[in-house]
Amino acid sequence: MGLAVFALAGCKSGPPPVPLEQLNAQQMHGHAVFQARCVQCHNDRRDKPLHGPPMVGVFKRPSLPSGAPANDERVKATIVHGHGLMPGMGNTMDQQDLDDLLAYLHTL
Ligand code: HEC
């Protein structure tokens, strides 16, 4: 019974995020960027909405909450240009930070 519940929950939420201590240098830097730029509005490792949807499993699902495909292009465009109530950050985030952030989001 306990096992069945566990299996069901696992199926719904997919594999868990890679533990922080197993991240490589680029992913660690992406985590720092997330803490600085995203954490006030998004949970990264908890499946709970904040101001925006949680980021856990963002690339493990076929689509983003808006229904757009969950791929690098779409997520980068969201960060650079914003989306709905989310402000765009294209002018204040350099390419390296953006790439590292994407690498981190892929571990969630
Ligand atoms: C000021 C609050 C705020 C900040 C800061 C913020 N977001 Fe968002 N984000 C939102 C809101 C609100 C939504 C839902 C927007 C909508 O669908 O109208 C959202 C939606 C998203 C989506 C889903 C887009 C879609 O197509 O469904 C992604 C991905 C995302 N944010 C990533 C990020 C990342 C990565 C960062 C950090 C660089 C970030 N956000 C920073 C508020 C924020």
Side-chain angles (χ1 to χ4, degrees), residues 3-81:
L3 204 69
V5 169
F6 184 75
L8 217 66
C11 182
K12 186 171 165 269
S13 51
V18 178
L20 283 181
E21 61 272 15
Q22 287 175 24
L23 300 186
N24 67 28
Q26 183 187 26
Q27 294 158 350
M28 270 319 285
H29 183 247
H31 176 251
V33 175
F34 191 94
Q35 296 296 314
R37 309 300 300 270
C38 318
V39 81
Q40 68 268 38
C41 295
H42 295 282
N43 279 313
D44 53 349
R45 315 183 75 84
R46 286 178 62 215
D47 198 9
K48 284 214 150 194
L50 215 52
H51 297 300
M55 290 293 115
V56 61
V58 61
F59 283 118
K60 290 171 186 156
R61 300 189 186 99
S63 55
L64 298 173
S66 66
N71 58 34
D72 283 14
E73 286 71 52
R74 202 46 241 181
V75 171
K76 279 188 184 176
T78 301
I79 297 166
V80 170
H81 302 298

